[in-house]
């Protein structure tokens, strides 16, 4: 039986998510005022509640890491009810694994490597996970508990910096 590690990280909310939540809260009230002033059909008011529900659920995200035999798979979970596979990386595609530092982040940005922050609000140490998938380099920032670090060191010894 192969070892696998699952880790769930609560996602960060940026300006975009807070703006979406603000729109989700204001939309029904705005729609009600417009309906009252213009005497539009009630279906617009019902539509605003559906849109509000959708926007509210999209802003509540978590990341789930699954590490098995050197392969990392990350899913994004919306409102603890729906999930979408974000990416999957085989151990052959890993270029380097290193601890997070502002200097490394700036170096990746200078080199034009896109950096995707999947660490969220995790209390564990954050690590860069640089991969080359289909000829494109991408750096992921991951929240790594000790259990995950131990497995990464086991399967990707030569990739640590």
């Amino acid at each position: 039986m192969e070892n696998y590690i699952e880790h769930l990280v609560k996602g960060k909310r940026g300006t975009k998510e807070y703006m979406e939540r603000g729109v989700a809260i204001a939309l029904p009230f705005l729609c009600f005022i417009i309906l009252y002033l213009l005497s539009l059909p009630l279906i617009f008011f019902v539509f605003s509640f559906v849109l509000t529900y959708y926007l509210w659920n999209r802003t509540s995200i978590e990341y789930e890491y699954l590490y098995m035999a050197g392969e990392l798979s990350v899913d994004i979970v919306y409102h603890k009810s729906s999930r979408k596979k974000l990416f999957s990386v085989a151990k052959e595609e890993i270029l380097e694994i290193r601890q997070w530092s502002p200097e490394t982040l700036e170096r990746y940005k200078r080199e034009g490597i896109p950096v995707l922050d999947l660490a969220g609000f995790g209390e564990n140490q954050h690590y860069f996970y640089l991969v080359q998938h289909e000829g494109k380099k991408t750096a992921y920032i991951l929240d790594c508990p000790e259990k995950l670090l131990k497995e990464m060191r086991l399967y990707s010894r030569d990739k640590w910096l």
Side-chain angles (χ1 to χ4, degrees), residues 126-142:
H126 295 173
Y127 283 82
F128 283 109
Y129 202 75
L130 183 66
V131 299
Q132 185 164 1
H133 186 67
E134 297 175 357
K136 270 180 74 176
K137 288 183 181 178
T138 307
Y140 301 104
I141 301 174
L142 303 176

Side-chain angles (χ1 to χ4, degrees), residues 7-12 58-65 74-84 86 118 120:
H7 183 57
L8 192 65
V9 178
K10 186 125 181 107
K12 293 178 186 173
R58 287 294 283 190
T59 59
S60 176
I61 60 173
E62 295 176 331
Y63 301 107
E64 183 183 49
Y65 310 153
V74 177
D75 294 346
I76 186 166
V77 181
Y78 295 105
H79 198 61
K80 298 181 182 178
S81 60
S82 65
R83 84 178 40 241
K84 177 183 170 188
L86 207 52
L118 305 174

